[in-house]
Amino acid sequence: MGGVDEDWGRVDDHLARALLPADEVLEQVLAENRAAGLPSIDVSPLQGAFLTLLARITGARRVLEIGTLGGYSTIHLARGLAAGGRVVTCEFEPRHAEVARRNVERAGLAGVVDVRVGAALQTLPQLEQEGLGPFDLVFIDADKGGYPQYLEWALRLTRPGSVVVGDNVVRRGRVADPAVTDPAVTGVRTFLDAVGAHPRLRATALQTVGAKGWDGFAIAVVD
């Protein structure tokens, strides 16, 4: 037997082969991201399929993503949209956004994805001013220190019944260690506390293991 992380990755590969059809477009997207030198922090294929299913289960027509990177998760979300739906995705780095736009076009989804460039805390008020909400599903996967503020905006831009998902909330278990003062960890910890205390949210969290190691999702429904 290999190490635990090695075993997790092998099981991830097995599950993906069993459950996910071969997808040349998504493979090309990941290859494009690597070629462009983007950090390898995309959701895994199984996690991406989870996002597609979540969008379909909720019947989402309006999806907000905070943190685009190269558009891999964006494509998964867009594939789950109800008819006439749209994804608005916010990306801080112009170079990442350029790669994402190419990838979204390659996937044939340019007509339903709106990539916004700039700091999310500047972009989100613009979305409110443009009346683009309420969003049915919000996926938060950006800088972890900003998660508490992104949650506040998610609540402003959603409605009762909307779903809010926060990625990377376990941080290899560091979120539960009060001695850890890394802003990426403390930001997530504050986010989780705010979700749990908010009177308009009903939430849970799921730890995940796999090719991306030990992490997890927080999932909340807006009352």
Side-chain angles (χ1 to χ4, degrees), residues 3 5 33 49 61 68 101-102 127 143 165 172 183 204:
D5 286 1
N33 290 354
R61 295 187 68 254
T68 315
R101 288 190 176 109
R102 290 200 300 268
L127 302 183
D143 60 292
V165 179
R172 300 194 69 87
T204 190

Side-chain angles (χ1 to χ4, degrees), residues 47 50-51 53-55 57-58 136-140 147 151 161-170 191-192 195-196 200-208 216-222:
Q47 291 168 344
F50 168 75
L51 294 176
L53 289 176
L54 189 59
I57 290 167
T58 58
D136 307 307
L137 173 62
V138 179
F139 180 51
I140 304 173
Y147 270 36
L151 175 64
S162 294
V163 174
V164 179
V165 179
D167 195 11
N168 306 127
V169 300
V170 172
F191 165 82
L192 291 171
V195 169
R200 291 184 58 211
L201 294 174
R202 298 293 176 268
T204 190
L206 301 174
Q207 296 188 70
T208 59
F217 292 106
I219 306 172
V221 175
V222 181

Side-chain angles (χ1 to χ4, degrees), residues 91-163:
E91 174 53 45
F92 177 71
E93 292 286 349
R95 187 171 63 87
H96 295 180
E98 181 181 347
V99 174
R101 288 190 176 109
R102 290 200 300 268
N103 285 330
V104 166
E105 185 172 0
R106 177 182 289 111
L109 295 166
V112 298
V113 174
D114 180 2
V115 181
R116 300 292 182 103
V117 183
L121 293 179
Q122 296 177 1
T123 302
L124 294 169
Q126 293 172 1
L127 302 183
E128 183 180 49
Q129 291 169 8
E130 294 173 30
L132 294 183
F135 290 94
D136 307 307
L137 173 62
V138 179
F139 180 51
I140 304 173
D141 189 17
D143 60 292
K144 310 313 167 194
Y147 270 36
Q149 291 167 291
Y150 301 149
L151 175 64
E152 293 175 9
W153 275 102
L155 287 166
R156 290 180 67 161
L157 291 167
T158 50
R159 55 166 178 78
S162 294
V163 174

